[in-house]
Amino acid sequence: MWCCRLSHLHGRLQNLLSRGVTCSAFQQPNFKSLFPLAIRWHHTASKSLNCAWQQHEDHFELQYANTVMCFDYVWLRDHCRSASCYNSKTHQRSLDTASVDLCIKPKTIRLDETTLFFTWPDGHVTKYDLDWLGKKSYEGQKQKVIQPRILWNAEIYQQAQVPSVDFQSFLETNDGLKNFLQNFLLYGIAFVENVPPTQEHTEKLAERISLIRETIYGRMWYFTSDFSRGDTAYTKLALDRHTDTAYFQEPCGIQVFHCLKHEGTGGRTLLVDGFYAADQVLQKAPEEFELLTKVPLRHEYIENVGECHNHMIGVGPVLNTYPWNKELYLIRKNIYMVNRQWSSSLQSYIPKKTTSNEYRKGLI
């Protein structure tokens, strides 16, 4: 049954991929309905802060910045940022979590300006900034977008006229790198022009962004239509919309493509915003969107060509979302893999190889 529904959804998603941004406002909680009048809050901050708190038997409740947040006492003790509990140089915990009493409860709580002070039974004092607690709370995370994006189809992207970045500016200036990263994070794709057609320069570009991952193909590799590897990308067949490395347990985050040589005609690159397509599914068929986020699939890559013998398996749903705010962060979509598994990466690469092209590729 799942297979039938997923096959049907695949057809729908394929149609949507060839064709904008919907923003939902979070509804603020109604505090009067959430808490009965019998509850007595501590209004110890200035009125401008709109802050109140209450100490319960097993948790601390904070009303701040129009949000009601709940914190377990063990969590509050464990996340203490004092010098004896936290190493600020390594950003690592020094406190042994197992040493915290699971029934711990602060002796006193007080608020000074924008800082809360918790005094524990052993006399240790933990202090937290109100804004810090708001950002770290589960309730605050539910309202936070991890990665803002501009969703696009062909028309939206063409109208945006996103500029490319010159190679020398990209390598030698922070502004060049910043412009590239801004474009990439917002749109999922970005272009660097005037890169010399060599492996060394392609590798320099990739390392300017991040570390290069080791794969079954190597860190950096050439590919062309010579079927030297057991992959459709090494043939002259046209590749439809897809994303790569679905068979990795952690699919690649960035793919770098550099066309080193082009002869004849063809060899087009087609780029598609999978997040735009997923948003269309969410708006038009929310139940099917939910299905695509819940059902895990096996994503397999099987290769037996020459001396290359590989069988890799990654497991995960088509659409991956953060559980606390339902924000989409990863797509696995590749109809060429075994069992029609689907892969990650913001961009899809589809060369129509009617002629011979040589590409340099790297994964990050």
Side-chain angles (χ1 to χ4, degrees):
M1 177 178 175
W2 293 119
C3 294
C4 293
R5 291 189 68 185
L6 288 171
S7 177
H8 167 69
L9 291 177
H10 166 253
R12 278 198 173 196
L13 197 55
Q14 283 289 90
N15 292 333
L16 288 167
L17 278 167
S18 54
R19 301 195 202 145
V21 184
T22 304
C23 298
S24 300
F26 291 95
Q27 185 176 357
Q28 299 298 338
N30 184 329
F31 299 118
K32 291 183 178 179
S33 63
L34 284 173
F35 303 101
L37 295 177
I39 290 182
R40 299 180 63 184
W41 291 83
H42 296 267
H43 294 272
T44 53
S46 63
K47 292 183 179 179
S48 61
L49 283 176
N50 189 25
C51 173
W53 57 269
Q54 185 184 25
Q55 185 174 355
H56 292 272
E57 186 64 29
D58 59 351
H59 70 278
F60 176 73
E61 195 166 335
L62 175 67
Q63 176 182 322
Y64 177 65
N66 295 325
T67 303
V68 175
M69 300 164 275
C70 296
F71 300 91
D72 189 279
Y73 292 131
V74 174
W75 187 94
L76 289 168
R77 180 64 186 91
D78 185 51
H79 283 70
C80 179
R81 292 302 195 256
S82 68
S84 62
C85 298
Y86 181 77
N87 189 328
S88 59
K89 293 183 178 180
T90 63
H91 302 284
Q92 293 176 318
R93 181 186 286 105
S94 301
L95 174 70
D96 179 9
T97 301
S99 68
V100 179
D101 184 357
L102 296 181
C103 298
I104 196 169
K105 183 179 177 181
K107 288 175 61 179
T108 62
I109 302 174
R110 68 180 178 87
L111 180 66
D112 182 7
E113 296 295 333
T114 61
T115 304
L116 275 164
F117 293 83
F118 296 84
T119 302
W120 304 102
D122 62 359
H124 184 82
V125 176
T126 296
K127 61 180 182 179
Y128 288 117
D129 182 79
L130 290 175
D131 287 333
W132 189 92
L133 285 175
K135 292 176 183 177
K136 299 297 181 181
S137 71
Y138 181 79
E139 294 80 6
Q141 291 291 323
K142 286 173 66 176
Q143 300 182 32
K144 180 182 177 182
V145 176
I146 303 298
Q147 178 55 58
R149 294 184 175 90
I150 296 177
L151 308 183
W152 52 271
N153 55 18
E155 181 182 0
I156 295 171
Y157 190 78
Q158 288 169 0
Q159 291 178 353
Q161 296 184 330
V162 183
S164 59
V165 180
D166 180 74
F167 178 62
Q168 289 304 123
S169 174
F170 174 83
L171 275 189
E172 298 172 2
T173 71
N174 288 334
D175 284 342
L177 177 62
K178 179 181 177 181
N179 291 337
F180 171 88
L181 292 175
Q182 283 180 333
N183 292 340
F184 178 75
L185 292 173
L186 284 175
Y187 292 94
I189 58 174
F191 296 91
V192 180
E193 292 185 332
N194 304 317
V195 183
T198 68
Q199 172 180 343
E200 293 73 24
H201 288 91
T202 309
E203 192 166 357
K204 265 187 182 179
L205 182 147
E207 289 176 335
R208 176 79 163 135
I209 304 170
S210 185
L211 298 174
I212 302 175
R213 292 174 60 173
E214 188 66 64
T215 73
I216 57 174
Y217 296 97
R219 294 173 75 250
M220 305 282 295
W221 68 95
Y222 289 104
F223 69 98
T224 188
S225 52
D226 59 1
F227 201 61
S228 59
R229 298 296 299 262
D231 193 299
T232 311
Y234 287 78
T235 71
K236 292 186 177 181
L237 298 173
L239 296 179
D240 202 352
R241 289 148 294 197
H242 72 284
T243 52
D244 287 335
T245 64
Y247 46 85
F248 286 2
Q249 202 56 38
E250 181 189 359
C252 65
I254 303 174
Q255 289 183 278
V256 177
F257 289 95
H258 187 191
C259 185
L260 303 182
K261 182 179 178 182
H262 181 269
E263 295 178 350
T265 60
R268 294 187 306 140
T269 296
L270 174 62
L271 299 170
V272 176
D273 185 2
F275 286 79
Y276 174 86
D279 185 68
Q280 294 294 300
V281 175
L282 177 61
Q283 300 305 320
K284 298 177 181 179
E287 291 185 359
E288 295 178 348
F289 179 92
E290 185 77 7
L291 174 65
L292 292 172
T293 66
K294 297 297 184 184
V295 180
L297 301 176
R298 287 166 56 95
H299 312 284
E300 299 189 46
Y301 176 77
I302 301 173
E303 179 184 29
N304 287 296
V305 173
E307 297 181 358
C308 300
H309 305 284
N310 296 292
H311 188 175
M312 302 187 70
I313 301 174
V315 178
V318 174
L319 304 177
N320 293 254
T321 59
Y322 295 120
W324 56 86
N325 65 355
K326 305 303 181 184
E327 179 183 344
L328 179 66
Y329 68 90
L330 174 69
I331 299 175
R332 287 179 163 97
K333 189 242 174 231
N334 193 328
I335 63 172
Y336 299 98
M337 300 293 104
V338 177
N339 295 335
R340 291 198 171 194
Q341 82 288 0
W342 307 38
S343 106
S344 113
S345 213
L346 299 183
Q347 66 265 55
S348 297
Y349 172 68
I350 305 164
K352 298 219 170 182
K353 295 187 178 172
T354 58
T355 57
S356 175
N357 296 332
E358 292 183 4
Y359 288 84
R360 167 63 63 180
K361 182 175 180 180
L363 302 182
I364 297 175

